Amino acid sequence: MSRLRTILFFLIFSLTAYGQPVRIDSLKSLLGTDEDANVAWNIEHQLSIAYAESHQFKPAYHLSLKAYATAQLTKDSAKMYNSLRVNAFCLGKMDRVEEQVILSKKVIAGLMRFGETKFALYTISSLGTAYMKQADYAEALRWYLNGLTIARRNRITFSDFYHNIGLIYYKLKAFDKAAMFTTMAVSIAKDEHDPSGILLGYSNLALIH
């Protein structure tokens, strides 16, 4: 493993602990430093995610397109769809919801086809949120329930689905179902020691009751 690859490996798995500004600066310093398309893609992809997590959605959007172009050089379909996953997420955050919906459906199908189930679930969650923004609660519920089925089948815990399904049932005035799913979301948050998830769940339960 080259020195640069060693640095990259360390950055990807360790820099989060130092905060996003340090992570972003460190990854930016590595852009264009390696001719290996796989290494270049990892840098670009991780940087796009770091920007997105810092709510800097425009640079995240542009980096995800750059990462997609690099992924095409590797001929790795999973890399391509993961780049587009970040791109679709950013489209939603930039209020380009109709574009987000179209791209997300393509991304979900691709990620599932190439075994990237967990990342497909992230995109399903974002797609459901997009439909909620459009007040299309039936379609949002359909996607969330589909995502929950996939998560359960693959033994993946995904508490966002429970929170959001509970919220949709609340908006549809199905209060018993809203309370049931929200209570399950709180239980999962407790198991995962997730204070923000616990707080969100109890806030939603107060709203429901």
Side-chain angles (χ1 to χ4, degrees), residues 148 151-152 156-163 180-195 197-198 201:
L148 186 57
R152 285 173 170 170
I156 298 172
T157 302
F158 212 94
S159 61
D160 283 359
F161 289 132
Y162 293 93
H163 283 294
M180 180 182 70
F181 277 95
T182 304
T183 300
M184 286 191 283
V186 171
S187 178
I188 292 170
K190 287 180 178 178
D191 289 342
E192 296 182 339
H193 305 288
D194 176 11
I198 294 169

Side-chain angles (χ1 to χ4, degrees), residues 61-78:
Y61 170 80
H62 291 297
L63 253 299
S64 67
L65 289 177
K66 183 175 177 61
Y68 176 69
T70 303
Q72 289 180 306
L73 297 176
T74 71
K75 303 185 186 303
D76 186 325
S77 296

Side-chain angles (χ1 to χ4, degrees), residues 5-35:
R5 286 180 174 82
T6 302
I7 293 171
L8 176 62
F9 183 87
F10 175 79
L11 280 169
I12 290 173
F13 293 100
S14 302
L15 274 175
T16 305
Y18 295 94
Q20 292 297 0
V22 172
R23 184 184 181 205
I24 287 171
D25 288 344
S26 298
L27 288 167
K28 282 174 66 177
S29 72
L30 290 175
L31 282 174
T33 58
D34 199 302
E35 295 180 0

Side-chain angles (χ1 to χ4, degrees), residues 77-97:
S77 296
K79 285 184 172 66
M80 294 180 209
Y81 282 111
N82 268 298
S83 301
L84 292 176
R85 168 178 67 86
V86 179
N87 190 259
F89 176 79
C90 292
L91 285 171
K93 293 297 183 179
M94 295 188 296
D95 292 324
R96 294 165 61 178
V97 178

Side-chain angles (χ1 to χ4, degrees), residues 135-174:
D136 189 344
Y137 300 126
E139 193 65 11
L141 182 61
R142 185 177 76 83
W143 278 101
Y144 284 139
L145 289 173
N146 181 44
L148 186 57
T149 298
I150 294 170
R152 285 173 170 170
R153 187 167 63 234
N154 289 275
R155 298 183 179 180
I156 298 172
T157 302
F158 212 94
S159 61
D160 283 359
F161 289 132
Y162 293 93
H163 283 294
N164 291 328
I165 291 169
L167 184 58
I168 291 173
Y169 277 130
Y170 169 76
K171 290 182 178 295
L172 295 174
K173 301 187 185 303

Side-chain angles (χ1 to χ4, degrees), residues 45-136:
H45 182 59
Q46 291 299 322
L47 183 55
S48 71
I49 291 172
Y51 273 128
E53 290 177 347
S54 298
H55 295 192
Q56 299 181 60
F57 299 114
K58 285 187 178 180
Y61 170 80
H62 291 297
L63 253 299
S64 67
L65 289 177
K66 183 175 177 61
Y68 176 69
T70 303
Q72 289 180 306
L73 297 176
T74 71
K75 303 185 186 303
D76 186 325
S77 296
K79 285 184 172 66
M80 294 180 209
Y81 282 111
N82 268 298
S83 301
L84 292 176
R85 168 178 67 86
V86 179
N87 190 259
F89 176 79
C90 292
L91 285 171
K93 293 297 183 179
M94 295 188 296
D95 292 324
R96 294 165 61 178
V97 178
E98 290 183 5
E99 293 172 79
Q100 178 196 9
V101 167
I102 293 169
L103 181 57
S104 292
K105 291 177 180 179
K106 175 182 176 181
V107 168
I108 292 163
L111 289 172
M112 290 298 296
R113 185 161 65 251
F114 291 102
E116 298 284 304
T117 306
K118 187 172 182 178
F119 294 121
L121 291 173
Y122 289 142
T123 305
I124 290 172
S125 180
S126 295
L127 179 58
T129 300
Y131 280 117
M132 286 183 72
K133 284 182 180 178
Q134 297 175 322
D136 189 344

